[in-house]
Amino acid sequence: MTTVAEGTVLWEPPVALQERSRLADYMRWLERHRGSRYGDYEALRQWSVSDISGFWSSIWQYFDLQFANSYSEVLSGDVMPGIHWFPGATLNYAAEVFRNSSDRHPAIIFQSEGRPVEYLSWADLEGKVASVALALRGLGIDAGDRVAAYLPNIPEAVIGFLACASLGAVWSSCSPDMGSASVVDRFRQIEPKVLFAVDGYRYAGKLFDRRSTVAEIRASLPSVKHAVLIPYLDSAADPAAIGSATTWSTLMNERAEPHYRKVPFEHPLWVLYSSGTTGLPKPIVQGHGGIVLEHLKVLALHHDLSAGDRFCWFTTTGWMMWNYLVSGLLVGATIVLYDGSPGWPDMNALWDFAARTKLTMLGVGAAFITSCLKAGISPGASHDLSHLTAIGSTGSPLPVEGFQWIYEQVKADIWLGSASGGTDLCTAFVGACPLLPVRAGEIQCRCLGAAVQAFDDTGKPVMDQVGELVVTQPMPSMPLYFWNDPDGTRYRDSYFEMFPGVWRHGDWIKVTPHGGVVIYGRSDATINRQGIRMGTSEFYRVVEELPEVLDSLVVDLEWLGRPSYLPLFVVPRPGVELDEPLTEKIRAAIRAALSARYLPNQIYAIAEVPRTLSGKKMELPVKRILLGVPVEKAVNPDSMSNPASLRFFVDLAARLHE
C-alpha cells in the first residue's frame, strides 16, 4: 500500500455521532446549567484547564455522583504535589458501578483459550461481589487493608476487586506471567493480608502451572494471613499446593446483601506499579473519588461509552488498562474480558472474539495493530464487524502505517481512538474525541481537564515541535502518594524534579497546529513493553545475579513507525564468552524472574558500561545515541568516568540506522 502522509484526514465523525455523543450532551448541559456555551472542542478544552474547579465540579454534577457527604471546596493547595480534592466528600467506587445495574444487557462477557464465552448479569455480579466482601470481612479485612491478586484477566479478578472496593480495602494485582521476584518486589512493599491466586493459566495453546510460583510468592510475603486459590487451570486443583488456603468456591458459600462503605474522596482504591530506573517499582496509590471522576470523564466523554456498549481492552491485570477496562462498568457498559494470546492460533484471534461477542469498542496495544499489518490479514473482509464502531490503541506510538491499515483492512468508517497516558494517573492525557477527525499518525486531542503541553529544555511551551510531555495543572487521579514514601520525596523526584510544580511525564510529544498530538516514545530510561513499564533496576538484579555477568545495561528504543527494540548489553567476567548457552541462560533468567514480554531483542557483549563520574549507569545518553542523536549532543564526556566506552554505542547506532 502507498503510505499516506502524517496528518492526512482518514475519518470524519458523522454529524449523527457528534449530535448524539455524550460529549455534545455534556456541552448542552453546561449551557443549560452553567450558562456557558463553547463553539468547539478546543474552546471547551481551554476552559477545562483554565477553570479547574469549575470543570471538575461540573463533571461531579453532570454524572450525579452519589455521596454521603458533599464537599466543602473542589480542591485545596497551591502547588503540585500537595493538592487535595473535594475535601469532606464521601463516596464509593463500587457503589457507583452498581448504580448502573440493568437486566437489559450483561455486566461481563468473558472468554479464554480454555473456556467458551460466558455471560455474567449485573445481578449475578453484584451478588458475587457481596458474597466475597462478606467472606473477606470474615477473614478480618477492613477499610485500608491491602488485598493482592496474582490473577489473569478473568471475572474472578473483577469480582475480587469490587468486593475490596465495597469494603474500602485496597486492591493490587499482578499478572501470573510475571516471575516471583517481580511480584514479591511489588507486593512486599504494601504488606497485603490476603492473596488471591490461580493455579495456572493457558497461553498460546500451552499450559503454565503456577502453583510452585504462588507458594514461593506466599512464603516471601509474611504479611499474608490468608490465601484464596482459584482453580483456573485444573478444576480439581488442591489448595494445599500453595500452603494452607481456601478456595474461591468457599467464598461463595454464603449469600449476602450488597453493602458499600462510603469513604473519603481520597481514600485509597488500588495500588499500581510504575518502575523508574533505580530502586524497587513505585507503588502508586490512587483514590476512589479521583478515579471515579477521571474514568467517567474519559470513558463517557472521550470514548463515548454508555449502557449497552460492549467494551473490551486486551490487557493483563498487571497493566493499568485492566483497571481502565473495569471502569467501563462506571458508565454502564458491558465489559468484555479475553484471557489468552492475541496471536494464537493466528493473528485473527481477537478479531474472531470481536465478531463473536459483537463488540462495539475494541482496545489494543499499538504493537498488536502493527503485528496484524505484518501478518497480512484483512479482518474486515473475513469477519462480521458490523457492531464494531471504535478501536482504541495505546501502549506505544502508533505509526502512520498502523492508522492506514485500520482504515483499509478493518473498516473504512471506524473511529480509531489512539491514546497515551500512564499508570501514574491510570488514564490518558491525550486521546479520542467524537467531535474531531482522525488524522494519520496523530492522537486526536489533549483530553479535557488535562493541561498537557510540550516543554523545551528551558521549561517553555512549544508548538509543532518535539518537547517533554508535561501537565501544568493538577488532575484528581494523580497519585495520592507512593506507598512507603512518608515525606513524599520519591513522589516529587519522580515527576516534579525537572520542572518544579509541573508534572513531567517522561514522554516526547508534539502538539500540532490543529490540536492533535504525536507521541515519540519515552524520554527517560524506563522500559515500556506493550504499555507495561519495567524499571531497568529490575533487569540488573536478575542479569547481574548470574555469575558469568559482571555488569549490564539495558535501554528501550522506541522509534516512531518502527517496532520497539530492546537491546541488553552485558560485561562478561574475564575468560567468559557471550556464546549461545550464556545468551539463553540470560534470557531464561529474565523470562523466569520478570516476564517473557521483557526478553531482549538482542544481547551484546561490551567491555564496560558507560558511567558518570559518580558511578551511575548512563542509560539515557546511551539511548539517545542509539536513537541517532550525535554523541556530542547526547553526553558531555567530561561528566564520564570512561568516555571511551561510548565508541561501541556510536558504532552500533550507525549500523542500526543503515
Side-chain angles (χ1 to χ4, degrees):
M1 62 184 182
T2 302
T3 302
V4 301
E6 181 178 292
T8 301
V9 174
L10 300 175
W11 176 84
E12 293 271 8
V15 173
L17 168 61
Q18 295 184 54
E19 291 180 347
R20 68 161 177 76
S21 70
R22 300 194 74 177
L23 181 55
D25 184 71
Y26 167 67
M27 294 171 75
R28 291 189 289 266
W29 181 92
L30 284 173
E31 186 171 5
R32 290 195 307 272
H33 294 271
R34 298 284 182 95
S36 301
R37 190 163 189 262
Y38 301 98
D40 57 22
Y41 175 79
E42 181 57 22
L44 177 67
R45 188 199 68 81
Q46 289 184 12
W47 166 73
S48 76
V49 296
S50 60
D51 183 3
I52 298 295
S53 294
F55 171 69
W56 288 108
S57 65
S58 77
I59 296 298
W60 179 295
Q61 293 163 12
Y62 175 73
F63 289 103
D64 190 27
L65 296 193
Q66 301 300 296
F67 51 87
N69 298 300
S70 189
Y71 52 88
S72 57
E73 56 185 334
V74 174
L75 72 167
S76 62
D78 300 313
V79 180
M80 295 186 289
I83 302 296
H84 294 284
W85 291 89
F86 295 93
T90 56
L91 74 172
N92 185 282
Y93 176 102
E96 292 299 323
V97 161
F98 288 110
R99 289 175 59 200
N100 299 302
S101 290
S102 170
D103 58 6
R104 294 189 299 275
H105 54 86
I108 295 177
I109 301 174
F110 167 69
Q111 184 185 338
S112 73
E113 290 185 10
R115 291 190 197 174
V117 175
E118 302 172 10
Y119 296 82
L120 189 64
S121 71
W122 283 88
D124 285 344
L125 176 61
E126 189 165 27
K128 292 178 186 294
V129 166
S131 292
V132 173
L134 177 64
L136 287 173
R137 285 199 300 272
L139 296 177
I141 296 301
D142 203 349
D145 290 334
R146 276 78 63 207
V147 173
Y150 189 56
L151 299 177
N153 183 22
I154 57 178
E156 291 88 343
V158 178
I159 293 164
F161 159 60
L162 291 173
C164 286
S166 72
L167 299 174
V170 185
W171 176 263
S172 190
S173 60
C174 286
S175 172
D177 68 346
M178 295 181 68
S180 59
S182 289
V183 175
V184 170
D185 278 349
R186 286 156 172 76
F187 289 164
R188 185 184 283 157
Q189 296 184 72
I190 65 170
E191 300 181 304
K193 288 186 176 181
V194 172
L195 174 66
F196 287 100
V198 285
D199 59 326
Y201 63 95
R202 180 172 174 164
Y203 188 86
K206 299 177 182 178
L207 305 182
F208 296 85
D209 189 326
R210 303 302 275 170
R211 287 174 294 182
S212 62
T213 304
V214 174
E216 184 179 340
I217 291 169
R218 185 178 182 186
S220 301
L221 298 174
S223 63
V224 171
K225 306 303 180 187
H226 305 279
V228 179
L229 181 67
I230 298 171
Y232 184 50
L233 194 61
D234 177 5
S235 60
D238 185 357
I242 64 169
S244 60
T246 187
T247 60
W248 179 259
S249 59
T250 302
L251 301 189
M252 297 295 176
N253 281 343
E254 190 171 347
R255 296 182 61 84
E257 288 299 315
H259 175 76
Y260 305 103
R261 173 179 288 177
K262 292 292 197 294
V263 294
F265 188 90
E266 293 189 340
H267 185 81
L269 174 64
W270 54 48
V271 180
L272 305 179
Y273 303 92
S274 184
S275 295
T277 56
T278 59
L280 293 170
K282 301 189 294 276
I284 296 169
V285 183
Q286 288 154 346
H288 277 246
I291 290 297
V292 166
L293 276 187
E294 173 58 38
H295 284 183
L296 283 171
K297 178 210 77 176
V298 71
L299 293 172
L301 303 186
H302 285 279
H303 289 304
D304 198 40
L305 290 171
S306 59
D309 280 317
R310 294 188 171 187
F311 171 46
C312 174
W313 208 291
F314 180 75
T315 180
T316 72
T317 60
W319 187 17
M320 58 143 284
M321 294 309 298
W322 182 82
N323 306 72
Y324 196 82
L325 168 62
V326 172
S327 284
L329 297 169
L330 286 172
V331 297
T334 298
I335 60 171
V336 186
L337 317 179
Y338 185 80
D339 180 46
S341 168
W344 186 86
D346 55 43
M347 290 306 300
N348 280 300
L350 276 187
W351 303 109
D352 292 342
F353 179 64
R356 187 179 308 112
T357 57
K358 299 181 179 180
L359 292 183
T360 55
M361 179 178 176
L362 171 63
V364 294
F368 172 76
I369 294 174
T370 55
S371 294
C372 289
L373 184 159
K374 291 176 183 176
I377 64 172
S378 299
S382 56
H383 296 76
D384 178 5
L385 300 176
S386 56
H387 290 84
L388 191 66
T389 60
I391 292 175
S393 171
T394 193
S396 57
L398 181 64
V400 168
E401 295 83 0
F403 279 77
Q404 186 175 357
W405 180 83
I406 290 290
Y407 284 96
E408 292 185 356
Q409 304 300 332
V410 181
K411 283 181 84 170
D413 60 347
I414 199 89
W415 172 20
L416 174 55
S418 182
S420 183
T423 301
D424 320 75
L425 283 84
C426 198
T427 193
F429 301 112
V430 294
C433 178
L435 307 183
L436 299 175
V438 172
R439 299 173 184 268
E442 292 187 18
I443 295 170
Q444 286 179 280
C445 67
R446 291 175 281 181
C447 291
L448 297 175
V452 170
Q453 296 190 42
F455 269 17
D456 64 18
D457 290 343
T458 67
K460 291 188 171 55
V462 294
M463 287 290 292
D464 208 25
Q465 66 185 74
V466 178
E468 287 275 357
L469 190 162
V470 300
V471 182
T472 60
Q473 295 288 348
M475 296 173 65
S477 67
M478 284 178 173
L480 303 175
Y481 48 84
F482 291 170
W483 208 271
N484 296 329
D485 182 30
D487 63 356
T489 298
R490 196 179 183 199
Y491 183 20
R492 289 191 298 273
D493 290 349
S494 296
Y495 310 112
F496 300 100
E497 186 175 36
M498 180 175 285
F499 306 114
V502 172
W503 176 289
R504 177 240 179 195
H505 192 60
D507 280 340
W508 297 122
I509 184 177
K510 179 178 75 175
V511 181
T512 67
H514 47 260
V517 171
V518 181
I519 300 289
Y520 291 89
R522 299 294 297 168
S523 65
D524 61 17
T526 302
I527 293 163
N528 176 9
R529 297 291 265 186
Q530 300 157 18
I532 305 175
R533 295 186 200 163
M534 177 73 69
T536 54
S537 61
E538 297 185 73
F539 262 78
Y540 301 145
R541 281 201 300 276
V542 174
V543 174
E544 293 169 21
E545 279 183 358
L546 299 175
E548 298 90 344
V549 177
L550 278 180
D551 203 357
S552 64
L553 182 81
V554 66
V555 294
D556 184 11
L557 305 180
E558 288 184 295
W559 292 282
L560 185 65
R562 293 175 61 178
S564 170
Y565 182 71
L566 186 68
L568 171 65
F569 306 93
V570 299
V571 180
R573 286 190 178 277
V576 174
E577 180 185 352
L578 181 64
D579 53 14
E580 186 60 32
L582 178 55
T583 297
E584 184 50 41
K585 185 176 182 179
I586 293 170
R587 292 172 63 84
I590 293 169
R591 183 186 294 109
L594 303 178
S595 169
R597 108 172 14 95
Y598 298 108
L599 290 176
N601 294 91
Q602 185 73 40
I603 303 177
Y604 298 90
I606 58 175
E608 54 183 336
V609 169
R611 292 185 178 272
T612 65
L613 292 172
S614 61
K616 293 182 179 179
K617 298 183 184 187
M618 301 186 69
E619 296 158 325
L620 188 53
V622 166
K623 177 176 179 175
R624 297 182 72 189
I625 289 170
L626 294 178
L627 286 172
V629 176
V631 65
E632 63 274 11
K633 293 186 177 181
V635 63
N636 176 9
D638 293 337
S639 67
M640 297 184 63
S641 61
N642 55 351
S645 63
L646 293 177
R647 173 48 53 190
F648 174 90
F649 299 96
V650 173
D651 293 343
L652 177 59
R655 297 198 301 273
L656 291 174
H657 290 273
E658 286 178 350

